[in-house]
Amino acid sequence: MTETPRPRAQRHDQMFPILNESEIARVARFGERRRYAAGVALFRTGDVGIGLLVLVSGRVAIARHDATGRAVPVADHEPGSIIGETAGLSGKPALVDGVAVEDCEAIVLAPSDLRALLVADAMLGERITRALILRRVELIASGAGGPLLIAPADHPGRVALANFLSRNGLPFRALDPAVDQDARDLLTTIHPAAADYPLALLADGTVLRAPSETTLAQALGMIGQADPSKIYDVAIVGAGPAGLAASVYAASEGLSVVVLDRRSFGGQAGASARIENYFGFPTGITGQALTARGFVQAQKFGVEIAIPTTITALTCGGAGGVHRLDAEDGRRYCARAVIVASGARYRRPPIGRLAEFDGRGVWYWASPIEAQVCSRQEVVLVGGGNSAGQAAVFLAQHASKVRMMVRGPGLAETMSRYLIDRIAADPRIDLMPHTEIVRLHGDETGLRGLTWRDRITGEETSAPIRNLFLFIGADPASDWLASCGVALDDKGFVATDGSLETDHAGIFAIGDVRAGSVKRVGGAIGEGAAVVARIHAYLAHHGEEQSEPRSPPPNARLEKARPHKSEP
């Protein structure tokens, strides 16, 4: 009888497959052979342009290290081993060191060669892709090669950077100098002022003081230089399910594609603690896991991804012309067709001092990072949709109590039945209908309390609750379209015709930002697939001809796009 492999052993074999001679020969068609003497580094942490290596002879040791200088062995590769992880798909900085333990020979594939191999050889490509993904997961768990964040555990800057790195699938470590001796030892050489927190220490020894997300991204090599002379077939603004799906279908069919997003891949769906009604996943899947698969898949087909990139203006080029996208930092991208998939921004209720406590007790998503901040504390969650229900169930596993407040009589009109039943069955969740937040209390350290009102009796109650989660819907992120004058409906969503095209030729809209979309992950992915067929038809039909914008679609309002006023 054949013994079934144990899960741990099976996972190790998938993470570190050994290729046979025939498989090595198949890989060799896509790369070149190189020899390395014992002691020579094949690559170091931070090196870019490393695709994949397949070891033909000799041994190579892989080690990770962080800003503290500690080196930790990761793997010892033998002949037949593949060396690399998902960074190799796009040539992003390496997260580990690879050093020849003895004289060795390897087949070296550049990122473009690796992508070509994965597409051309489906069977071998599947094994390699699975290994690359599993290795990235392990690197994230260990924090290998990523920055070291130093700040108090509840420091809003540390929480924001940790969330940014986590949402983008990047490894990192975070230390609190109040409880970690390693952090205190490092501070003796850095001498930070209070305004310098959080500190971000990079693997090369660079110290960033209170960096923004963009500054940290640039230091980590996340953002490449845009080539304004390059004209893509398709530029997609938004890396949520709709945008990623469109990028996968477009690139797999031979179109050149760039995806731009202001913060991270996954959009609002990526922040979902668990999606349980998405077809094909009977046990559910986290939004991060689902969209991360799409993110890797897009890179496999050669999609260029620039995150974070905030697009501030669109200049329409007309039918058959070239459209121009301008970023906040001065970068420019040009494309023959543009897909608007910028989704929606979290809605902010009209509560005094709300902006003062953003990231300091007021949250708009519930990830493991926020759950850690409010561990064993009482929290308040406002909202009655599916996102609110998923967040409440997730937070109840960490908080001592979740007060779930809705303005209406209950959840039946706004939430899926399975979530309503789960909330009702959880003693840690207290559903409070006809309730609204009226005041926030706090100081320079953050939120310190809340006051809410019963909308039936008018009675007000205050409590020293330090974490408030808001899930009250979202407004379309369409203000950047004002420069082109794309037609919107009366709520600011992008108006389209039956082909998902706007009133400007070559400008398409999909996902949550589009008027009439179903606001579901499955619907967004479906629109991402459908729009590619429309773009093929557009590119084939228009070529280089120019024309004026078409008449607005029937669901457009008379005026054109204009910036929206921020909610108080």
Side-chain angles (χ1 to χ4, degrees):
M1 179 181 295
T2 303
E3 183 179 354
T4 301
R6 290 175 297 176
R8 183 179 295 275
Q10 185 178 39
R11 182 181 176 89
H12 181 275
D13 291 344
Q14 291 175 340
M15 192 183 306
F16 299 105
I18 301 297
L19 305 188
N20 59 36
E21 290 185 5
S22 173
E23 291 169 330
I24 292 175
R26 285 150 62 186
V27 173
R29 296 188 298 112
F30 295 86
E32 63 178 50
R33 292 177 181 263
R34 295 182 189 173
R35 295 183 179 276
Y36 301 88
V40 171
L42 283 68
F43 52 87
R44 294 287 186 185
T45 300
D47 287 352
V48 298
I50 310 298
L52 185 80
L53 295 90
V54 175
L55 196 57
V56 177
S57 64
R59 287 172 50 236
V60 172
I62 305 297
R64 61 178 175 85
H65 61 86
D66 57 31
T68 66
R70 295 192 183 95
V72 180
V74 173
D76 192 7
H77 287 304
E78 60 185 73
S81 298
I82 64 173
I83 303 173
E85 52 93 29
T86 56
L89 292 169
S90 57
K92 290 293 194 297
L95 299 175
V96 292
D97 299 337
V99 178
V101 177
E102 57 190 39
D103 292 350
C104 63
E105 181 182 7
I107 300 169
V108 180
L109 284 72
S112 58
D113 300 326
L114 170 59
R115 296 193 299 267
L117 167 64
L118 299 183
V119 173
D121 194 324
M123 295 296 291
L124 188 54
E126 180 182 354
R127 289 180 65 197
I128 293 174
T129 300
R130 181 182 293 112
L132 301 185
I133 292 173
L134 291 175
R135 291 177 184 183
R136 172 52 72 106
V137 171
E138 287 296 312
L139 291 174
I140 291 173
S142 66
L148 173 64
L149 306 180
I150 299 180
D154 60 352
H155 189 286
R158 168 178 153 173
V159 173
L161 291 181
N163 197 294
F164 170 73
L165 293 167
S166 177
R167 289 284 302 276
N168 281 290
L170 296 172
F172 69 94
R173 291 178 62 208
L175 300 179
D176 184 347
V179 297
D180 195 288
Q181 184 60 47
D182 286 339
R184 290 196 292 270
D185 292 343
L186 287 168
L187 295 184
T188 61
T189 61
I190 300 173
H191 307 294
D196 291 336
Y197 289 104
L199 298 170
L201 283 66
L202 309 188
D204 63 1
T206 300
V207 178
L208 303 178
R209 299 171 186 262
S212 66
E213 293 176 1
T214 300
T215 299
L216 180 59
Q218 290 171 336
L220 294 176
M222 292 175 62
I223 308 175
Q225 294 296 319
D227 180 1
S229 66
K230 180 174 182 178
I231 300 175
Y232 297 89
D233 291 320
V234 186
I236 302 173
V237 181
L244 286 177
S247 75
V248 168
Y249 283 100
S252 67
E253 295 174 13
L255 299 180
S256 60
V257 183
V258 63
V259 174
L260 314 163
D261 196 285
R262 62 187 296 272
R263 191 165 192 273
S264 64
F265 69 81
Q268 292 190 45
S272 178
R274 181 158 292 273
I275 301 171
E276 297 197 52
N277 58 354
Y278 185 69
F279 180 79
F281 292 88
T283 60
I285 185 171
T286 67
Q288 176 79 5
L290 178 64
T291 55
R293 294 180 183 188
F295 181 66
V296 172
Q297 192 174 21
Q299 293 177 87
K300 167 186 170 180
F301 288 114
V303 175
E304 294 183 35
I305 299 177
I307 297 175
T309 299
T310 299
I311 297 300
T312 56
L314 167 65
T315 301
C316 297
V322 175
H323 310 290
R324 190 179 74 212
L325 293 158
D326 291 306
E328 188 176 54
D329 59 5
R331 283 174 292 148
R332 175 172 292 174
Y333 299 87
C334 298
R336 295 181 176 85
V338 172
I339 298 176
V340 180
S342 45
R345 298 191 180 101
Y346 297 102
R347 187 172 297 151
R348 298 167 183 266
I351 304 174
R353 304 183 69 186
L354 187 67
E356 180 182 344
F357 299 119
D358 277 356
R360 302 168 63 237
V362 173
W363 316 101
Y364 298 89
W365 52 80
S367 75
I369 294 170
E370 288 76 33
Q372 183 180 10
V373 170
C374 64
S375 177
R376 296 186 295 278
Q377 301 178 32
E378 184 174 333
V379 304
V380 166
L381 185 147
V382 179
N386 277 4
S387 294
Q390 292 160 353
V393 171
F394 171 71
L395 289 171
Q397 302 171 38
H398 304 273
S400 61
K401 182 177 184 178
V402 177
R403 291 183 178 270
M404 187 174 189
M405 301 180 182
V406 294
R407 291 167 56 88
L411 304 173
E413 299 298 320
T414 57
M415 188 178 292
S416 296
R417 187 73 241 175
Y418 80 94
L419 280 171
I420 295 175
D421 293 341
R422 189 164 297 174
I423 288 169
D426 195 325
R428 297 162 297 185
I429 302 177
D430 180 14
L431 180 61
M432 303 173 63
H434 302 294
T435 305
E436 61 185 356
I437 301 292
V438 292
R439 283 185 297 280
L440 306 180
H441 314 287
D443 52 32
E444 66 280 357
T445 64
L447 186 67
R448 288 293 175 265
L450 307 170
T451 298
W452 60 82
R453 176 190 297 134
D454 186 308
R455 302 182 72 229
I456 302 297
T457 66
E459 179 182 359
E460 293 189 358
T461 304
S462 296
I465 295 175
R466 300 177 57 180
N467 289 283
L468 170 63
F469 293 84
L470 298 174
F471 290 84
I472 59 170
D475 297 313
S478 58
D479 52 346
W480 59 279
L481 297 170
S483 56
C484 182
V486 172
L488 311 177
D489 73 0
D490 57 0
K491 295 181 179 179
F493 292 93
V494 180
T496 61
D497 59 17
S499 68
L500 302 176
E501 193 170 11
T502 70
D503 64 328
H504 281 61
I507 309 297
F508 300 79
I510 57 175
D512 287 358
V513 74
R514 188 181 71 83
S517 64
V518 296
K519 309 300 187 284
R520 297 277 185 172
V521 173
I525 292 173
E527 290 187 6
V531 75
V532 173
R534 306 297 186 183
I535 287 175
H536 276 300
Y538 166 78
L539 294 175
H541 179 264
H542 286 286
E544 297 299 322
E545 85 178 77
Q546 303 287 327
S547 68
E548 294 298 318
R550 298 178 290 109
S551 300
N555 58 345
R557 63 176 182 227
L558 294 179
E559 63 266 30
K560 298 296 186 177
R562 60 170 179 256
H564 300 295
K565 295 181 179 179
S566 300
E567 293 289 345

